Amino acid sequence: MDEVRMNSTTLGVFAWTELEREEGKYRFDWLDDVFELINSNGKRIILATPSAAPPAWMSRAYPEILRTGPDRVRRLHGNRVNFCWTSPVYREKVRSINEQLAKRYGHHPALMLWHVSNEYGGECFCELCAQAFREWLKARFEGNLEAMNQAHWTRFWSHRYTDWSQIDIPGNPYGETANQGLSLEFKRFTTDQIVAFYRAEVGALRKHNASVPVTTNLMGFYGGLDPWKLAPYLDVVGWDSYPQFRDQPIDVRGWAKAALTHDLTRSLGGGKPWLLMECSPSSSNWYPVMNLKPPGMHLFETLQAVAHGSDSVLYFQWRQSRGGQEKFHGAVVATGQDNTSRVFSDVSQTGSALDSLSAVAGSTTTSDVAILYDWDNAWAIDGACGPVQGNKRYFETILDQYVPFWEAGISVDVISQECEFGQYRLVLAPMLYLLRDGTAERMRQFVEGGGVLLTTYMTAWADEHDLTFAGGIFSPLAELFGIRVEELDALYPEQKPCVVLPRGSHFGVEGAFEVLGFAERIHVLDAEVVGSYGKFWYGEEPAITRRFVGKGEAIYVGARLGHDFNEPFLNSLAASLNLRRNYDAPTPAGVTVQRRVGRESEFLFLMNAADKQAHLAPPERPAVEILSGKPVSHGITLPPYGVAVLRLE
């Protein structure tokens, strides 16, 4: 650990059976020894609670703690996170073990952070959860069953409930699968149960020492938990980053996806530094193909997280397990290897780099641009029976609009509908199918106050209960954007209409751009037409509009378009708003620049996500390249996956 400059260690994530092999019989001697070893070497400890992996003795003695699937069959002991969120027995067992840990280690000088459980997620469909769901619904609708029926339109298909006890958890393949509003409520309920479970865990820890900060490891855009509901209860936000190799090596877009998730994590913490809580120095056993990271890629991966706001690089795992599900998962020290391995050398290189970047710690990022990704919206879109079956590509659309800003080196926050808009100059809200109460008014205020708002097809179709608006598609935003949306055309692959922007377009973009799957037919009420459909049966009808409102502007893009449109269009929009790029010189394709600002210094992270060398002109201000310690007087050359970190003078 000294050789790779590792200064902290996470312990106990799945250690329940090592702490309590029999009910009520605790053994901490081994953990005491590890605490003493780490503390005596001047390192700090992040101690986890073990709730993610209940022991076999508990599952046998108290089978009600085990999770029940949507088929209403209780699962057998095994795997991990296989427990019921609602079970009072499990909550009591977790409270007990957490209090034991807190009493023993809560005041230990080496303890710096509580790592609460691990990667919270999943649903339980047992009767305890069903009853809790009924009570949750009753509270949400203030005991008014008719209001609940109205909100979920249960008159359709004779789904009306006449007693709360008739409500079951939706999702059973042999039961209720056709009430999208109720399914959306169950997603919200599960998030609330997870938050309540987390808060109960924290309560047991803080009973003995409230000064030690707490967190848990999130999973980015994971769909089973709305992290905006959990984030207020985290002292610091963190996530587990594993940029994924699928059926080909990771490409520039894959690194953009990782960057987007880093930006989400930073945004969840209110812009404060966050923690990279897990990564792999080589590969991961659950990748479809365990492709190795070539030279330089691991340093790029870790410094990308730092560039986007992380103040840590933590690994799963230190020493590779010899057995179990993750025995082939990457580790700093692989089985049978020592400090002479390539991977150990890569981790050592990262440690040296982080040492040289100590001044970056605590610095922050300010963004003029925000992209709105909303979990309620994602759940509602995924559950909607139309306009296509299966994936509507909501996340992909978010990424499509993020990539041009990332490539241009323009910092971006990721927000939800409940976040404030006013601090931004540009807000992108594509495919905002579900519009919560109050969002339309806040959008109007944002635009009137000088903000630019861009949204797209499949926006404002349904309210927070997933009921379509009585005024029709887009009706809550019709006045703001000055258009009326009549209908959406879901296209077959062989149908290829285009959107045409004429010469002299305000945005400096012209030509024909192919529509990819979705095209809305809209009518202009009080807006300027920027682009129209080309040859098709609705050819020459408006497709892209803009409307000036107050001091701002509302832009509507009615068709799904590709990177050939998004890149020039969004770059032109950024130029018209004079959005500051993080680097004042042009950057080659695949090179991005991120900025962090401290009390005394500004830091620029120049990162080459491409697999070929790139050259950049020097910045206008004098700068020192921190990793090498050399002043930047000439251009900067970045090899594939190369990184340079500049401190501006």
Side-chain angles (χ1 to χ4, degrees):
M1 288 185 178
D2 285 339
E3 288 184 46
V4 296
R5 296 169 172 79
M6 195 166 289
N7 55 23
S8 62
T9 305
T10 301
L11 300 175
V13 177
F14 302 113
W16 201 322
T17 53
E18 300 306 307
L19 296 167
E20 188 181 9
R21 291 193 178 179
E22 297 179 58
E23 185 170 8
K25 296 182 179 180
Y26 302 102
R27 55 184 295 266
F28 296 106
D29 54 325
W30 66 274
L31 191 54
D32 291 344
D33 291 344
V34 177
F35 257 79
E36 178 55 33
L37 178 64
I38 292 172
N39 187 45
S40 64
N41 281 275
K43 305 183 189 305
R44 306 297 300 280
I45 292 170
I46 302 169
L47 184 58
T49 65
S51 62
W57 62 258
M58 189 184 299
S59 299
R60 178 59 60 90
Y62 308 99
E64 64 268 33
I65 73 166
L66 295 172
R67 191 162 290 181
T68 296
D71 56 3
R72 304 306 192 266
V73 175
R74 191 179 300 280
R75 301 311 187 224
L76 301 177
H77 176 81
N79 217 311
R80 65 182 194 183
V81 199
N82 181 23
F83 59 84
C84 169
W85 300 113
T86 308
S87 168
V89 173
Y90 195 63
R91 290 200 181 198
E92 171 57 26
K93 296 300 180 186
V94 171
R95 182 203 61 76
S96 179
I97 190 71
N98 287 6
E99 283 202 14
Q100 291 290 332
L101 290 169
K103 283 190 290 187
R104 195 171 190 92
Y105 303 108
H107 293 276
H108 196 286
L111 181 64
M112 63 183 297
L113 179 69
W114 286 109
H115 179 313
V116 183
S117 198
N118 184 75
E119 296 183 341
Y120 282 123
E123 301 168 329
C124 183
F125 295 79
C126 73
E127 185 50 42
L128 285 172
C129 288
Q131 182 56 35
F133 180 48
R134 296 179 194 113
E135 294 301 321
W136 183 91
L137 283 171
K138 188 181 293 186
R140 175 166 168 74
F141 291 96
E142 299 179 337
N144 188 334
L145 184 60
E146 185 49 41
M148 195 281 301
N149 276 307
Q150 176 68 16
H152 300 144
W153 215 253
T154 56
R155 70 190 72 178
F156 189 75
W157 283 4
S158 192
H159 281 183
R160 182 186 297 276
Y161 299 102
T162 57
D163 190 87
W164 293 100
S165 65
Q166 298 164 3
I167 300 173
D168 199 0
I169 296 175
N172 186 327
Y174 307 108
E176 180 59 84
T177 61
N179 189 322
Q180 286 79 30
L182 196 63
S183 296
L184 177 60
E185 300 284 27
F186 183 61
K187 297 287 189 184
R188 293 166 172 155
F189 161 79
T190 297
T191 281
D192 284 356
Q193 289 294 90
I194 293 174
V195 171
F197 189 95
Y198 165 84
R199 295 183 68 186
E201 286 214 54
V202 170
L205 299 174
R206 286 188 161 155
K207 183 177 179 180
H208 297 278
N209 187 350
S211 64
V212 179
V214 295
T215 190
T216 190
N217 44 341
L218 300 174
M219 294 182 283
F221 287 91
Y222 164 68
L225 167 68
D226 181 350
W228 288 101
K229 304 298 184 185
L230 186 58
Y233 304 104
L234 305 177
D235 292 321
V236 59
V237 178
W239 87 288
D240 298 344
S241 178
Y242 295 96
Q244 292 188 27
F245 300 71
R246 290 300 183 185
D247 54 354
Q248 62 183 26
I250 193 168
D251 58 10
V252 171
R253 185 176 171 87
W255 290 116
K257 179 180 177 181
L260 173 62
T261 316
H262 295 330
D263 286 342
L264 165 68
T265 309
R266 184 188 69 241
S267 302
L268 286 166
K272 296 183 294 185
W274 53 276
L275 299 181
L276 173 60
M277 298 186 69
E278 284 187 22
C279 68
S280 170
S282 55
S283 192
S284 301
N285 70 293
W286 42 266
Y287 285 159
V289 177
M290 287 188 65
N291 194 236
L292 297 179
K293 296 171 183 174
M297 183 178 283
H298 178 57
L299 181 64
F300 176 94
E301 169 190 16
T302 53
L303 293 190
Q304 183 188 44
V306 176
H308 288 265
S310 177
D311 270 3
S312 75
V313 174
L314 301 172
Y315 293 96
F316 180 80
Q317 50 196 332
W318 169 253
R319 189 177 299 277
Q320 196 170 33
S321 173
R322 289 187 57 213
Q325 175 76 10
E326 295 183 297
K327 61 181 177 290
F328 298 131
H329 192 289
V332 179
V333 182
T335 302
Q337 296 187 7
D338 55 22
N339 59 358
T340 62
S341 72
R342 179 188 66 84
V343 168
F344 193 90
S345 177
D346 283 353
V347 175
S348 182
Q349 180 189 27
T350 296
S352 296
L354 294 176
D355 266 4
S356 65
L357 297 176
S358 59
V360 174
S363 60
T364 58
T365 297
T366 300
S367 303
D368 290 331
V369 181
I371 290 183
L372 199 160
Y373 181 95
D374 191 89
W375 263 257
D376 272 13
N377 186 60
W379 293 331
I381 286 178
D382 287 346
C385 192
V388 295
Q389 304 305 312
N391 186 6
K392 282 85 169 174
R393 298 184 63 235
Y394 173 50
F395 174 80
E396 289 82 354
T397 301
I398 296 289
L399 184 59
D400 288 345
Q401 294 201 353
Y402 173 82
V403 166
F405 294 99
W406 177 77
E407 290 180 328
I410 297 174
S411 299
V412 177
D413 285 350
V414 183
I415 62 174
S416 75
Q417 289 192 60
E418 295 182 343
C419 293
E420 292 298 324
F421 301 157
Q423 69 191 81
Y424 303 104
R425 297 178 62 196
L426 171 63
V427 170
L428 309 166
M431 293 185 71
L432 195 58
Y433 164 92
L434 183 147
L435 204 66
R436 299 187 196 180
D437 287 350
T439 298
E441 175 60 20
R442 292 170 58 236
M443 285 180 164
R444 182 190 63 78
Q445 293 174 357
F446 169 69
V447 175
E448 287 184 344
V452 175
L453 174 66
L454 185 152
T455 192
T456 71
Y457 55 90
M458 212 172 173
T459 288
W461 282 28
D463 67 10
E464 65 183 66
H465 300 297
D466 203 18
L467 292 180
T468 57
F469 290 108
I473 294 173
F474 204 66
S475 55
L477 297 175
E479 182 179 355
L480 174 61
F481 284 82
I483 62 172
R484 178 172 65 84
V485 178
E486 182 173 343
E487 56 187 346
L488 179 142
D489 191 10
L491 301 163
Y492 289 105
E494 59 269 23
Q495 293 179 300
K496 297 182 178 180
C498 63
V499 170
V500 179
L501 278 72
R503 185 180 299 275
S505 164
H506 168 79
F507 293 100
V509 180
E510 59 185 53
F513 302 91
E514 184 179 326
V515 176
L516 306 174
F518 287 159
E520 280 187 342
R521 294 188 57 244
I522 64 179
H523 301 275
V524 170
L525 305 175
D526 179 22
E528 175 189 344
V529 177
V530 175
S532 303
Y533 291 109
K535 293 181 180 179
F536 207 65
W537 67 266
Y538 39 81
E540 300 186 2
E541 292 185 6
I544 302 174
T545 65
R546 61 196 289 250
R547 181 171 184 257
F548 293 103
V549 182
K551 299 177 182 179
E553 186 175 356
I555 301 170
Y556 191 78
V557 180
R560 173 174 284 162
L561 301 168
H563 188 70
D564 62 333
F565 169 80
N566 287 322
E567 194 273 336
F569 186 80
L570 294 175
N571 268 290
S572 174
L573 183 58
S576 70
L577 292 172
N578 198 28
L579 298 179
R580 188 173 81 161
R581 295 173 182 248
N582 292 326
Y583 204 65
D584 42 41
T587 54
V591 174
T592 183
V593 181
Q594 300 299 316
R595 180 187 299 265
R596 292 184 64 168
V597 179
R599 290 184 178 179
E600 299 179 356
S601 300
E602 288 186 47
F603 306 93
L604 299 183
F605 289 75
L606 286 61
M607 314 197 71
N608 181 14
D611 58 2
K612 58 183 179 182
Q613 181 175 285
H615 184 79
L616 292 83
E620 293 181 359
R621 291 169 58 184
V624 173
E625 203 290 304
I626 301 176
L627 300 179
S628 65
K630 297 179 180 179
V632 178
S633 54
H634 302 290
I636 300 170
T637 299
L638 297 174
Y641 311 115
V643 181
V645 184
L646 309 186
R647 185 183 68 246
L648 299 180
E649 299 294 306

